[in-house]
Amino acid sequence: MHVGLIGVGLMGHGIARNILSKGGFGLSFLDHPGNQPTDEILGLGAQACASVAEVAKASDVVILCVTGAPQVEAVVTDLAPALKPGTVVVDCSTSLPETTLRMADVVRAAGADYLDAPMTRTAKHAHEGTLNLLAGGAAETLDRVRPVLAAFTERVDHVGGLGQGHRLKLLHNYVSVGFMTLLAEASAQAADAC
């Protein structure tokens, strides 16, 4: 199975290195100015591609690890026409559930399939290959790509149908940011009381 990766940023770089080193899969990635340095993954055998279409044509599984919903839409719009039938697109970005549903329709119209599988944890965990994923989509589609996901994760939870992964990730972020805000306020109050 050959894997494509679009988005070799802080999280995507760790994903790439583990797909190659732990998973033993072939990897093609989009050569983009926003990437982290790619010397390590090129040294492990990754292939740089000049376009999203080139990544699609080389891949059985395409992982998206981009900034958010607008970037997912832009990438999928270019990606879908070049996908091979049966390819699975796995969106590991933090996106919007409604974007997930629209992009899944675009990908399915091209004869491929779609999962939303946003990540929890940090870039350190990505580097170590111990991310957690909240996966939404058909169970049988998830099962097809589990060997690839296992290369960079500690845990993959199937949380329901398409869009449910992104719903849970947004709730996760809401609680996390809320807790950090509360902790910062409590610390400020404690400092003022001294």
Side-chain angles (χ1 to χ4, degrees):
M1 195 176 317
H2 194 87
V3 180
L5 178 62
I6 299 171
V8 186
L10 288 174
M11 302 297 275
H13 187 275
I15 290 171
R17 82 185 286 275
N18 284 294
I19 285 171
L20 291 158
S21 62
K22 276 176 53 179
F25 297 101
L27 180 75
S28 297
F29 68 94
L30 178 65
D31 191 12
H32 187 275
N35 286 349
Q36 291 291 301
T38 56
D39 294 345
E40 178 187 14
I41 63 173
L42 288 168
L44 290 169
Q47 301 291 317
C49 296
S51 69
V52 169
E54 192 179 332
V55 173
K57 289 174 184 170
S59 305
D60 305 300
V61 177
V62 178
I63 297 171
L64 308 182
C65 191
V66 297
T67 310
Q71 292 77 22
V72 169
E73 289 195 39
V75 167
V76 171
T77 300
D78 290 344
L79 184 73
L83 289 170
K84 299 184 296 189
T87 300
V88 178
V89 177
V90 183
D91 182 7
C92 289
S93 312
T94 299
S95 190
L96 300 172
E98 54 270 19
T99 299
T100 299
L101 297 176
R102 279 197 318 275
M103 295 304 98
D105 287 343
V106 170
V107 167
R108 285 182 181 145
D113 211 342
Y114 200 88
L115 293 170
D116 57 312
M119 304 169 280
T120 64
R121 296 191 143 176
T122 66
K124 175 182 179 286
H125 295 102
H127 185 77
E128 294 168 351
T130 57
L131 290 171
N132 292 328
L133 300 182
L134 302 168
E140 55 273 15
T141 304
L142 178 58
D143 288 344
R144 284 176 43 211
V145 299
R146 274 190 191 275
V148 172
L149 303 181
F152 62 91
T153 61
E154 182 174 87
R155 184 174 173 154
V156 177
D157 289 310
H158 185 222
V159 297
L162 276 169
Q164 294 304 313
H166 283 131
R167 285 184 198 287
L168 273 178
K169 176 62 188 281
L170 293 174
L171 288 170
H172 176 274
N173 285 2
Y174 181 77
V175 170
S176 297
V177 170
F179 178 75
M180 287 185 288
T181 303
L182 180 61
L183 188 58
E185 185 62 32
S187 296
Q189 293 298 320
D192 285 349
C194 292

